[in-house]
Amino acid sequence: MPSSLALDVDHVRSQFPGLSRGWTFFDNAGGSQICAPALARINTFLTEKNVQIGGTYEVSLAAAAAMLEARTAAMHLVNARRPEEIVFGASTTQLLQNLAKAMQGQLQPGDEIIVTVSDHESNIGPWDRLQAAGVVVRFWPLNKDTFTLDLADLAPLMSARTKMVCVTHVSNILGHINPVREIADFVHARGALLCVDAVAYAPHRLVDVQACDADYYVFSLYKTYGPHYAMMYGRYELLEGLDTLYHYFYARDKVPAKLEPGNACYELAYSVCGIVDYLSEVGRRAGASGDTRSLITAAFAAITAQENALTDRLLAWLGARNDCRIIGKRSNADGTRIPTIAFRFDGRDSGEVCRAMDHEKIAIRHGDFHSRRLAEYLGETGEGGMVRVSMVHYNRLEEVDHLTAAFERILGAATASTAA
């Protein structure tokens, strides 16, 4: 790894107060730890600017300026064109439900929306419910042999009535990065829009909504080193055309406020500034300089290198066992696998394995991870579902070794107990 891209892991870990509690956190796809700069921004807003925006007095003006700063930070984080393209909301699930509701005025009975069987339910359910209004929902299947979404399978599903294709940037089970730009080009050439769920991607790789040409792009801050909140990018001209979800006098030009009924949670939105502060410092310590976007880019280059090492270490151990079946691609040779890895041990209940790991103070998870349609499609719902280990850049290789040693103790003990 070039020194210019080296991650200062000691500094990184010092920025996450939750890591001092004695647990090894390998359930980051369920929710990462929050970084100290994000906490600081929340506290600053609540202690210095905690009033409603829209007033003429000094503190209200400061609160409004903080919200603009938050949208500007989010703009830099995802490389949007303008701050007004950022919509805040309670969660990715809520934002996608809001988007589906706000699109209804543009949809007629017989219009079509395509979703993938490999998505989290957040990017399926809101669109599926539009069938009650006469919208036709079609499922883009996953190739079970390659664990990929093939454009050859998408092509026959699209028609002149297709309005939107909804896809995940990374499945929270399979962990493989989908070629979103290639999909966007394909979808746009056929006159439809693209909505991307990036919850499992944004914590791990540089987001660039312009480069991937997404029309809507959504992810959760609580999985990206912030609090329990979320953000959505939408092309400004598309946001203008959506129905208002707020008061009737929030007209077409009230972007993005018309999509944030009751107003955004100011202090949680302001935390995005802290996430960007954190990533910028990571970029500086990796040897970068320049503007905010340049620092974020350098940070994710260093993050990617660290996470590839984590991914390779765990995949090597899992792949060497003859009693383990990895769900998804078994290697990361091309760097397109994030460190979210699902698997099963033969003859073992995944819930029992995870509960045994609790005693080791190692946090992992089992089940379908709210991607139930994919779990059912792959036949992976029985015996506690799948075990999932989801790492991020603040994890160390030594923690992976600690995890695998714990697995060996647990599996060995289970074998002895069964034999007895």
Side-chain angles (χ1 to χ4, degrees), residues 169-234:
H169 207 149
V170 173
S171 160
N172 71 342
I173 290 176
L174 302 175
H176 176 69
I177 299 173
N178 288 319
V180 168
R181 179 54 192 254
E182 183 180 352
I183 295 169
D185 289 345
F186 189 90
V187 167
H188 291 155
R190 288 156 180 78
L193 302 176
L194 183 68
C195 177
V196 180
D197 174 356
V199 168
Y201 179 89
H204 307 287
R205 296 290 192 272
L206 180 70
V207 173
D208 191 332
V209 294
Q210 294 189 60
C212 72
D213 206 22
D215 298 294
Y216 297 103
Y217 196 93
V218 194
F219 60 90
S220 298
L221 298 180
Y222 71 92
K223 300 180 183 184
T224 316
Y225 319 118
H228 275 78
Y229 211 47
M231 57 172 281
M232 178 178 77
Y233 156 83

Side-chain angles (χ1 to χ4, degrees), residues 4 51 55 63 88 102 111-112 131 152 172 177-178 197 200 225 258 281 301 303-304 315 326 347 372 394:
S4 62
V51 298
F88 290 113
D111 284 345
E112 301 167 357
Q131 292 194 80
N172 71 342
I177 299 173
N178 288 319
D197 174 356
Y225 319 118
K258 69 176 184 177
E281 182 59 23
I303 285 169
T304 297
L315 286 176
I326 298 169
R372 182 163 300 177
Y394 53 60

Side-chain angles (χ1 to χ4, degrees), residues 105-186:
Q106 303 175 9
L107 299 172
Q108 303 297 322
D111 284 345
E112 301 167 357
I113 292 178
I114 296 173
V115 299
T116 85
V117 74
S118 61
D119 266 70
H120 188 284
E121 190 63 18
S122 292
N123 205 23
I124 299 175
W127 311 111
D128 192 42
R129 285 191 282 274
L130 291 178
Q131 292 194 80
V135 174
V136 177
V137 175
R138 303 189 187 280
F139 276 84
W140 180 5
L142 181 79
N143 185 317
K144 290 183 179 180
D145 295 325
T146 63
F147 296 102
T148 59
L149 293 167
D150 297 338
L151 293 178
D153 295 325
L154 175 60
L157 299 176
M158 297 194 71
S159 75
R161 298 298 299 272
T162 304
K163 301 301 180 184
M164 179 97 87
V165 174
C166 305
V167 68
T168 182
H169 207 149
V170 173
S171 160
N172 71 342
I173 290 176
L174 302 175
H176 176 69
I177 299 173
N178 288 319
V180 168
R181 179 54 192 254
E182 183 180 352
I183 295 169
D185 289 345
F186 189 90

Side-chain angles (χ1 to χ4, degrees), residues 265-278:
C265 178
Y266 301 151
E267 64 271 19
L268 299 188
Y270 195 49
S271 74
V272 178
C273 300
I275 297 171
V276 169
D277 291 340
Y278 165 71

Side-chain angles (χ1 to χ4, degrees), residues 43-69 266-267 270:
N43 289 333
T44 295
F45 192 96
L46 289 174
T47 56
E48 298 179 9
K49 315 172 197 292
N50 192 26
V51 298
Q52 178 66 292
I53 66 173
T56 59
Y57 58 95
E58 179 182 348
V59 184
S60 181
L61 295 174
M67 282 302 297
L68 178 57
E69 186 182 355
Y266 301 151
E267 64 271 19
Y270 195 49

